[in-house]
Amino acid sequence: MGCRWRYHPTVRDEGSLAGALIDDFSRVAGLYPAHPFAPEGYASRARWLAEGWTEAHGGAAAALEHRAALARALVTYQERVGNSPRACARAAELRNPDAVVVVTGQQAGLFTGPAYTAYKAVTALRLAERLEAELGRPVVPVFWIAGEDHDYDEAASVSGFDAAGRRLPFRLPPAPALRSVGTLPVPPAARRLAQELVEGAAPTASPGRAWLEDAILRTLERSQTLGEWFARQLASLFEDDGLVLLDPMSPEIRRLSAAPLAALMARADDVVDALAEGERRVRAAGFAPQMPIDRRSLCLFRYVQGRRLALVREGALAATRHGEWSVERARLPEAIVAEPEMFSPAAPLRPLVQDWLLPTVVQVGGPGELAYLPEVLPAYAVAGWQAPVWTPRLSATVVWPEWAEDAARWGVSVETFFDEPAWRARLQERLAAADGADVDVLFAEARGAVEAAYERLIGELRARVSPHLEPIGRANLERVRRQLDYFAAKARQHQRRAHRDEWRRWQRLRDALRPQGRPQERDYCVFALFGRFGRDAWREFATTAPMPPAASVAVAEAEAGAGHGAREAAGAGPG
């Protein structure tokens, strides 16, 4: 099914701090290095990279040597995961002393995780293209695959659709705790889940079937670990775009990252104090910190028998919390350089390591990242480095043609389903109109009558019999209210049964647009949302969707004669 995209603006669904960055920068200017959309911030950062970043690497000759090693490592990794020749060429451009980077990233997740993972990459690609023209220098888009993270529960779950268009959660089987997700072997169950996703997202007649089989099933066949499979899927999704993939766990990158990590640990006390100061500044600005700082923590992990264990300060020692490993704190930098593969930065230090490793002009982040990065900002000053510009990713809600048709037929906007009370109220109105019984109105009238009768009765008894009867009467009234609420819920339930098809259509649309009360982009994977339309429709969206600060609803408009036929081919029925 061919389609074209129509966009209209909607409210951005973000946390308060990230929202302030976008809509009220003056309120949070002290928490961020630069305005996310001001050209002078990017130009200033590029000038600093030419001087400050070079100096941080020991001068021009050492910086060129670092760039050469970085480019070699990245080209090697692109070839290892089957990324495109263009991505290899873009990675090689980092040898150029004028080249800078737009970086984004995400934990390695099932089917590339929620759609916002792909939206981050889209933002990085388009921003790199724009900045290349504005800055007059190579701007390389890099995706940091956070495969060292060990939040398996988050990485192992994502949603798609079944063949009838219903939301279908996917989940990998349990895995050993505290293992970096990117290193875990692909479990046998992944093949079954992948086949189910493809069949639900792109039934046999769909133009996207071959695309998904290639992007998901073929990449699975060539992958040994979850991190490798994630990388191959991203490479397939952006095969023509030159998105450079970076695995911080690859041996070459581990060796290059040892120097900044060791430097940070040489001043660990100052770094942790700076992170605590960042937390204090966020609170002082009236926001809740996203990443509370444990003053004992070194914000560093050590691998012990494959488990990623946090290190804390134990007097003169750096040690795991339960004593599995320890070293004198004074020797920790030396240990990192000697065995870089055994250490991994925690979230507060990862941006610092990233921006020493890469000549980062801007980092693209989601609401959560944009909310915690201000806590990291003071640590850049301690390290003697400058933070890049931090800017938001693309945000969109995808609407299939039949979803838009249903909403229009019901006389509601798509955004109605973003608001739980609003869509339930509109559904109740439709059900009431269908059978002439507005349950909410009937019970509101009944409650009013009961409460008025009780008030009269309590007043009479208090005055004529005993004032001690008033609390008894009010307690009894509260029980009657609860019984009325129960009765009302039962009445609504029976009304929904009488209009079951209508209720299910509304519920299905709500599940598609606002699954479990969350933004669509945080639940469904990108292959589930775009698979039925095919690669060309995905690429059109990726190149035309409104960029930040806009948030949009992207409506897929079926080409002539494709709308209802596609619905039937997908087995989606009327909902």
Side-chain angles (χ1 to χ4, degrees), residues 494-561:
H494 280 263
Q495 190 175 53
R496 288 195 297 268
R497 287 175 182 167
H499 304 281
R500 183 168 294 171
D501 289 343
E502 183 86 345
W503 165 257
R504 286 176 175 171
R505 284 196 295 269
W506 279 68
Q507 185 68 46
R508 186 173 300 180
L509 185 50
R510 180 263 191 184
D511 287 345
L513 300 174
R514 190 77 179 183
Q516 297 185 314
R518 300 192 299 170
Q520 181 196 73
E521 61 194 19
R522 301 191 66 84
D523 189 74
Y524 292 103
C525 70
V526 68
F527 296 116
L529 291 173
F530 293 90
R532 66 189 309 211
F533 304 114
R535 186 189 301 273
D536 289 345
W538 156 248
R539 294 194 58 77
E540 182 189 345
F541 169 86
T543 55
T544 61
M547 291 287 284
S552 62
V553 170
V555 182
E557 296 187 326
E559 292 178 350

Side-chain angles (χ1 to χ4, degrees), residues 199-250:
E199 291 175 356
T204 306
S206 300
R209 181 64 176 238
W211 171 44
L212 292 197
E213 288 178 343
D214 183 61
I216 298 174
L217 296 173
R218 304 292 177 268
T219 57
L220 174 60
E221 292 168 359
R222 298 191 292 271
S223 301
Q224 299 298 313
T225 65
L226 292 176
E228 183 184 355
W229 188 26
F230 178 88
R232 289 184 182 278
Q233 288 175 92
L234 276 184
S236 177
L237 198 58
F238 296 101
E239 62 178 357
D240 301 320
D241 301 305
L243 181 68
V244 177
L245 306 177
L246 184 154
D247 179 6
M249 300 190 73
S250 66

